[in-house]
Amino acid sequence: MNCCLPLATEKRPLLSCACKKVSLRLGRFRNNIVCCCEDCQAIFTFFEGKGGKPHALPFRASYYEDNFDLLKGGEHLALMKLSNQPMASKNLYCKLCNTALMKCIDAYQGNVIAVDFQLVTPKRDDSTPVGRLCESEYPADKLGPLPEWPYETPTLEFHFVRNKVSAHSNVILLAS
């Protein structure tokens, strides 16, 4: 069984903002991770400061192919980027409720988008996260201790470290 391919009878999932004024039909599901990156923390903090939906961090990100259809609310969408750092994401959000709908970084090379697992309906039964994503070291001083891994699958941690590519045991270091 390939967990990345939807069943033929399955409809493409729906992504909606908190106020339900924006809806998008997502592409094919790829995987889930638990994201601990500083970019996600900064994005959610930014939108919460503007009255957006509070997020528990780290959060569960779902990846879908970068082919989605706008069903309604295009006039309420905006795109923003908080910084010009290489790993900074481009974020599509609803201007009415300040919901961060999806993010993309250059490293995705136009292949996938990341969305908040909680905003997608229906939820997938086979969507256990494949691992955790961190930028260099997890900022425990900001977010508290790294939560225990609650899933039965092995933990695979992805760490982005500037100008370095390395892999050892359960930690993969990727260049940013």
Side-chain angles (χ1 to χ4, degrees):
M1 179 176 146
N2 186 340
C3 68
C4 298
L5 297 175
L7 299 174
T9 58
E10 180 181 70
K11 289 185 177 181
R12 289 171 43 201
L14 186 67
L15 176 68
S16 299
C17 64
C19 71
K20 305 294 186 208
K21 299 288 185 187
V22 174
S23 293
L24 301 114
R25 186 72 61 195
L26 295 170
R28 192 169 64 171
F29 174 77
R30 287 301 185 187
N31 64 43
N32 281 300
I33 62 165
V34 174
C35 191
C36 307
C37 82
E38 293 177 34
D39 183 70
C40 285
Q41 178 189 6
I43 294 300
F44 292 136
T45 300
F46 174 82
F47 284 118
E48 284 176 36
K50 300 222 175 262
K53 171 184 174 269
H55 279 81
L57 292 167
F59 92 107
R60 190 161 160 192
S62 295
Y63 284 86
Y64 290 86
E65 287 183 353
D66 190 5
N67 58 336
F68 56 90
D69 298 316
L70 177 64
L71 301 178
K72 69 176 182 177
E75 69 275 16
H76 306 304
L77 289 174
L79 192 64
M80 61 84 70
K81 191 172 177 178
L82 282 180
S83 84
N84 290 322
Q85 295 297 319
M87 291 299 290
S89 61
K90 295 174 192 131
N91 299 273
L92 188 67
Y93 70 99
C94 174
K95 297 182 287 187
L96 296 175
C97 61
N98 288 302
T99 300
L101 290 165
M102 67 178 67
K103 71 183 280 179
C104 182
I105 60 174
D106 291 341
Y108 297 167
Q109 299 178 344
N111 294 311
V112 292
I113 53 170
V115 301
D116 181 348
F117 174 82
Q118 297 301 323
L119 298 176
V120 177
T121 54
K123 303 283 186 268
R124 292 180 59 94
D125 292 334
D126 62 348
S127 59
T128 299
V130 296
R132 274 193 280 247
L133 177 81
C134 300
E135 290 176 311
S136 62
E137 294 301 318
Y138 176 76
D141 57 326
K142 294 178 186 175
L143 300 178
L146 193 61
E148 291 293 321
W149 188 252
Y151 306 101
E152 293 179 19
T153 57
T155 305
L156 181 61
E157 294 192 17
F158 300 92
H159 290 253
F160 289 88
V161 179
R162 198 172 302 279
N163 300 322
K164 184 176 182 183
V165 179
S166 177
H168 42 85
S169 65
N170 269 359
V171 178
I172 297 176
L173 302 175
L174 303 169
S176 61

